[in-house]
Amino acid sequence: MSAKAETMNFQAETKQLLELMIHSIYSSKDIFLRELISNASDALDKLRFEAVTKKDLIKEGETLHIRIEADKDKKTITIHDNGIGMSRDEVIENIGTIAKSGTREMLQKLQKSKKKEDFENLIGQFGVGFYSTFMAADKVTLLTKRAGEDSATQWESAGAGTYEIFDAEKDARGTSITLHLKPSDKDEALDDFTEDWVIKKIVKQYSDFISYPILMKEETEEEKDGKKTKIVEDVTINSMKPIWIRPKSEVSDKDYNEFYKHISHDWNDPLKTILFSAEGRIEYKALLYVPSKPAFDLFFQNAKGGLRLYVKKILILEALEDLLPRYLRFVKGVVESPDVPLNISREMLQKNQMVLQIQKGLAKKILDSLKEMLEKEKEKYESFFKEFGAAIKEGINSDFENREKIASLLLFHSSNSQSLTTLKEYIDRMKSEQKDIYFLTGDSREIVENSPHLESYKSKGYEVLYLLDPVDEFVLDSLQEFDKKKIKNASKSTTDIATEEEKKKTEEKMKTEGKKFEDLIKYISEKLSEEVKEVKISTKLVSAPACIVGDENDVSPHLERLLKQHGDKLPKTKRILEINPEHTVIKKMLDRFTKDKNDPLLADYAELLYDYSLLAEGAAVTNPVKFTGLLSQLMDKAI
Ligand code: ADP
Ligand code: MG
């Protein structure tokens, strides 16, 4: 060990992750090679980007490459690159720690789960590439020299809690990573990674498309005049063909998937691959992927998205956000266009008309592909929607051009069945006389199913959407209509499903009933003046004695509760209490009221009616002490 040697501890999370890796149940240990090649390729990209302004970083005639070397006797495999390299500080930061927030939560989940798929999924979401080396090695050495610096750094670890870092010597810029391999073991899927054919097979399988040559030394024997001579030559073991340019028939799904893993740092296969080429005013090719799981930070405020931009097979930008509308930021992929000028800066591309044109084209294509998935592979689409539905919903209020199309991609629970439905399917099932689309909100299916508001819809055979995701109410309120059908909240006083005939009937009835109940209604209104703004006779209720309805512009109680939980200070919304004149409780209240206006029981019942209505829609009663007091008195009397 030379100067400035230090033994350092891995960050606690890293340590845990490493332990999991080392004792991994992960099936394919050979992916360490894919991960190291992917990192080397990233490092070469970074060097190229830096060399745009610092020309002398890359010498003339120098080829950027990756080299794999194996040593059978020492049982090592080394992956070299002449990319950007790392300074001492960068090694500590990039290799010793996992800076990603949410790592702790992930590890807790991982440790609880013994299932292989969960492990793969979760590890995959975090893309902890470098650590995968410890699945195949019992010691890993990294030697690196940052471009533009003179000193080199060596890092070494057996993966057990600590690593050593010290200043070292290295001639060339770049990084070499050496794995001291564990003994090969078929059961453990540990091949002999020092075998040339094994290395070639793995590279072909995972890294063929890498745009830099992956070199290996190959030894051949030549016989000349009866004398055998050994010749050592460099061979390139990857085809380097850009995968989005190759004809679809030539590329297997697996190839597409491996490319996805390289650009996304995700370990899982994508859910959908979209290959697209546009001709016309602007020419471009795109290879896009919908991941199967969202990145851990997709719904964080400053989540980064973006697609890779290539011009003439050369990577220009690693992530250009403007190639996608923000709500589609979960899509990964590559865009190549010969029309983009080669030496254009990110700043200039950002508001560039051409880029915005491409964005439009891609958004349309992605939405169409999702629609196709919805129509042809509903189950797959449901799994997509479960993971990314929240992002799609953002589009309703940001991509007005595609609004109707986005709306057609939404899925909802409904009174129709246990499975999810689209708005179109809802409309197809609508009764001929039904005019509008109706919805109710609530915390769970069960609560909405038992909502007193639902009854009249049910009795008419009208389907009602159940909005269980709080954001859905915003989404549908702002959407207002779909396919020329108005979308209405069934718990609003203004939403009426009565036919003209029925209306006439109730009007007549109201004249008499209204008179009968007038004084009682006044009485209840006074008793509940703190809670409700109005008490009315209901024309909709069937079996419930009362319910609470909102005015046109009132937020629903469900949403109000969520906003409050969120810390929003809202003025108390007073809603309307509707009572059911056909219900025996209401009838008996009227009897008592007619006999004695001052009967103390009536005040209690007014409160009970209100609390009952709150509970019926899944809300909490305003004063639980008072409520339980009243309830127990009542129980006492009734028994
Ligand atoms: P990811 O590639 O998803 O960032 P990794 O664990 O594969 O995660 O790599 C961690 C980090 O280590 C990289 O982001 C990079 O900064 C650094 N790194 C790894 N390999 C190299 C390399 N060959 N050259 C330069 N930096 C590297
Ligand atoms: Mg990586």
Side-chain angles (χ1 to χ4, degrees):
M1 254 189 250
S2 56
K4 267 181 84 184
E6 276 181 85
T7 301
M8 301 184 70
N9 287 311
F10 282 116
Q11 178 200 26
E13 285 86 4
T14 315
K15 210 170 131 177
Q16 275 179 298
L17 191 61
L18 275 169
E19 263 159 40
L20 281 162
M21 276 285 182
I22 292 166
H23 306 114
S24 152
I25 35 173
Y26 199 84
S27 48
S28 29
K29 317 265 175 191
D30 55 358
I31 48 114
F32 77 85
L33 197 53
R34 167 188 89 189
E35 293 300 321
L36 292 183
I37 290 171
S38 180
N39 285 350
S41 168
D42 290 346
L44 291 162
D45 286 337
K46 283 182 196 150
L47 176 73
R48 263 199 324 99
F49 291 136
E50 208 165 299
V52 172
T53 48
K54 296 181 193 158
K55 292 264 183 290
D56 53 353
L57 281 186
I58 302 173
K59 286 187 220 88
E60 227 181 280
E62 188 182 11
T63 21
L64 302 186
H65 67 270
I66 298 163
R67 177 183 292 286
I68 304 178
E69 245 172 345
D71 188 320
K72 284 203 170 48
D73 303 327
K74 291 192 189 141
K75 282 212 60 72
T76 60
I77 178 169
T78 302
I79 290 83
H80 305 275
D81 67 71
N82 55 353
I84 192 79
M86 283 177 274
S87 67
R88 187 185 174 104
D89 287 348
E90 282 171 331
V91 173
I92 294 172
E93 194 177 315
N94 298 337
I95 305 290
T97 48
I98 306 171
K100 292 163 185 166
S101 47
T103 314
R104 183 162 305 149
E105 289 78 359
M106 174 193 82
L107 283 164
Q108 274 162 1
K109 272 202 243 170
L110 264 184
Q111 271 163 341
K112 271 191 222 129
S113 168
K114 292 273 175 287
K115 283 217 308 268
K116 179 170 146 274
E117 301 90 76
D118 288 350
F119 180 80
E120 294 186 5
N121 267 334
L122 281 163
I123 287 276
Q125 273 165 279
F126 277 75
V128 279
F130 177 80
Y131 298 115
S132 62
T133 48
F134 288 102
M135 297 195 300
D138 38 35
K139 189 171 86 178
V140 177
T141 308
L142 174 144
L143 180 61
T144 186
K145 187 173 176 183
R146 177 75 168 77
E149 287 185 11
D150 297 325
S151 60
T153 305
Q154 187 161 328
W155 177 102
E156 203 162 78
S157 176
T162 61
Y163 62 87
E164 250 132 52
I165 188 162
F166 43 91
D167 296 344
E169 297 289 322
K170 186 177 189 304
D171 289 338
R173 168 205 71 222
T175 304
S176 301
I177 294 166
T178 301
L179 277 71
H180 305 266
L181 293 163
K182 292 180 186 172
S184 54
D185 179 342
K186 276 275 162 290
D187 294 339
E188 284 279 304
L190 280 163
D191 284 324
D192 183 354
F193 297 117
T194 62
E195 289 275 9
D196 282 5
W197 70 268
V198 173
I199 296 169
K200 281 183 190 165
K201 184 191 77 182
I202 301 172
V203 170
K204 265 270 165 268
Q205 189 178 356
Y206 297 122
S207 314
D208 189 59
F209 51 80
I210 291 289
S211 57
Y212 302 97
I214 303 171
L215 306 174
M216 256 170 82
K217 289 227 183 307
E218 201 168 66
E219 226 173 71
T220 44
E221 275 188 354
E222 202 170 82
E223 225 181 297
K224 221 177 182 182
D225 312 326
K227 263 208 303 199
K228 279 185 184 164
T229 41
K230 272 189 188 161
I231 303 174
V232 182
E233 267 181 324
D234 265 348
V235 286
T236 303
I237 57 177
N238 57 327
S239 76
M240 293 167 62
K241 278 191 199 149
I243 201 159
W244 59 93
I245 291 173
R246 294 170 62 187
K248 220 171 174 171
S249 57
E250 240 185 52
V251 186
S252 70
D253 288 349
K254 207 168 173 315
D255 295 336
Y256 283 125
N257 292 354
E258 288 307 331
F259 182 69
Y260 163 76
K261 289 175 190 173
H262 169 58
I263 59 168
S264 67
H265 295 207
D266 182 353
W267 284 20
N268 303 304
D269 286 338
L271 189 70
K272 182 150 187 79
T273 302
I274 305 166
L275 196 64
F276 176 51
S277 76
E279 273 147 40
R281 219 149 51 84
I282 303 164
E283 217 178 285
Y284 60 91
K285 281 195 161 64
L287 172 56
L288 305 175
Y289 297 95
V290 176
S292 49
K293 295 262 178 217
F296 70 99
D297 63 350
L298 183 72
F299 295 107
F300 291 7
Q301 197 142 44
N302 42 14
K304 290 252 181 324
L307 299 176
R308 293 183 152 222
L309 178 67
Y310 284 77
V311 178
K312 304 193 171 71
K313 298 184 195 172
I314 295 169
L315 180 61
I316 302 296
L317 280 176
E318 257 184 309
L320 182 57
E321 294 204 303
D322 306 68
L323 282 171
L324 288 173
R326 174 128 182 101
Y327 71 101
L328 295 177
R329 64 187 173 279
F330 58 87
V331 174
K332 308 275 183 215
V334 162
V335 172
E336 161 141 14
S337 174
D339 297 336
V340 177
L342 251 172
N343 295 318
I344 192 163
S345 72
R346 176 184 289 272
E347 289 67 36
M348 285 182 68
L349 277 170
Q350 265 160 9
K351 299 281 165 281
N352 184 295
Q353 272 312 309
M354 188 162 57
V355 170
L356 295 179
Q357 282 299 319
I358 298 179
Q359 182 196 97
K360 269 191 185 177
L362 295 181
K364 187 176 173 302
K365 179 69 192 175
I366 293 166
L367 294 175
D368 287 344
S369 306
L370 290 173
K371 190 135 191 256
E372 190 185 294
M373 196 200 294
L374 169 65
E375 280 157 10
K376 295 190 181 144
E377 304 167 282
K378 179 101 190 250
E379 220 167 280
K380 191 165 164 184
Y381 184 81
E382 280 180 11
S383 89
F384 160 79
F385 195 78
K386 185 166 151 262
E387 304 289 355
F388 298 101
I392 292 295
K393 288 170 193 174
E394 289 173 26
I396 293 284
N397 282 315
S398 60
D399 185 353
F400 296 104
E401 204 170 308
N402 289 310
R403 209 173 199 203
E404 189 87 0
K405 204 176 268 177
I406 299 169
S408 70
L409 290 171
L410 302 178
L411 295 181
F412 301 96
H413 289 270
S414 96
S415 56
N416 176 59
S417 75
Q418 291 288 329
S419 61
L420 296 165
T421 182
T422 61
L423 291 171
K424 181 169 181 310
E425 288 165 338
Y426 177 102
I427 290 176
D428 290 346
R429 284 189 297 260
M430 266 166 75
K431 290 219 147 179
S432 56
E433 79 278 10
Q434 186 183 341
K435 287 201 293 287
D436 305 314
I437 297 168
Y438 304 107
F439 70 81
L440 277 172
T441 59
D443 279 340
S444 72
R445 217 189 139 86
E446 211 177 3
I447 288 173
V448 187
E449 236 155 27
N450 289 302
S451 162
H453 301 295
L454 193 62
E455 288 184 326
S456 55
Y457 293 83
K458 260 196 186 153
S459 65
K460 283 192 173 248
Y462 290 2
E463 183 175 348
V464 176
L465 298 174
Y466 296 167
L467 308 193
L468 309 183
D469 177 357
V471 83
D472 284 347
E473 190 175 336
F474 283 122
V475 170
L476 289 191
D477 273 348
S478 65
L479 194 61
Q480 287 184 25
E481 55 176 54
F482 180 78
D483 199 14
K484 305 206 176 66
K485 302 264 184 297
K486 293 237 169 346
I487 302 172
K488 292 191 171 170
N489 186 335
S491 74
K492 292 263 160 100
S493 58
T494 42
T495 306
D496 196 353
I497 51 170
T499 60
E500 288 309 315
E501 204 175 312
E502 285 166 330
K503 269 186 200 154
K504 216 174 258 165
K505 251 194 206 156
T506 38
E507 233 166 71
E508 264 159 36
K509 206 168 150 199
M510 278 305 201
K511 266 187 213 150
T512 46
E513 296 285 304
K515 267 256 145 26
K516 256 203 305 192
F517 283 90
E518 202 176 280
D519 290 337
L520 177 64
I521 284 177
K522 211 189 235 161
Y523 173 86
I524 301 175
S525 307
E526 271 160 27
K527 289 290 161 211
L528 296 177
S529 63
E530 290 290 308
E531 283 85 14
V532 299
K533 60 181 164 199
E534 200 186 343
V535 178
K536 280 208 261 195
I537 295 272
S538 165
T539 54
K540 293 186 207 160
L541 287 176
V542 183
S543 67
C547 71
I548 295 172
V549 298
D551 247 348
E552 189 59 26
N553 298 315
D554 292 346
V555 291
S556 77
H558 177 58
L559 193 56
E560 186 182 12
R561 220 163 39 238
L562 283 156
L563 291 171
K564 274 192 185 146
Q565 277 168 14
H566 206 251
D568 287 3
K569 289 218 164 46
L570 293 174
K572 187 176 158 57
T573 323
K574 282 190 186 176
R575 281 180 286 265
I576 303 163
L577 181 76
E578 288 194 351
I579 57 171
N580 180 359
E582 308 287 336
H583 198 278
T584 47
V585 170
I586 305 293
K587 282 184 179 158
K588 284 183 180 169
M589 277 177 84
L590 184 62
D591 282 350
R592 274 197 180 245
F593 187 75
T594 331
K595 276 187 204 131
D596 176 9
K597 286 186 181 31
N598 298 317
D599 190 336
L601 202 69
L602 287 167
D604 289 350
Y605 266 75
E607 297 239 7
L608 278 171
L609 276 182
Y610 178 66
D611 285 339
Y612 167 91
S613 310
L614 285 175
L615 287 173
E617 59 183 24
V621 295
T622 10
N623 186 343
V625 179
K626 197 162 183 197
F627 175 73
T628 46
L630 284 173
L631 191 64
S632 69
Q633 277 175 28
L634 202 71
M635 285 164 75
D636 188 35
K637 274 186 200 137
I639 203 155

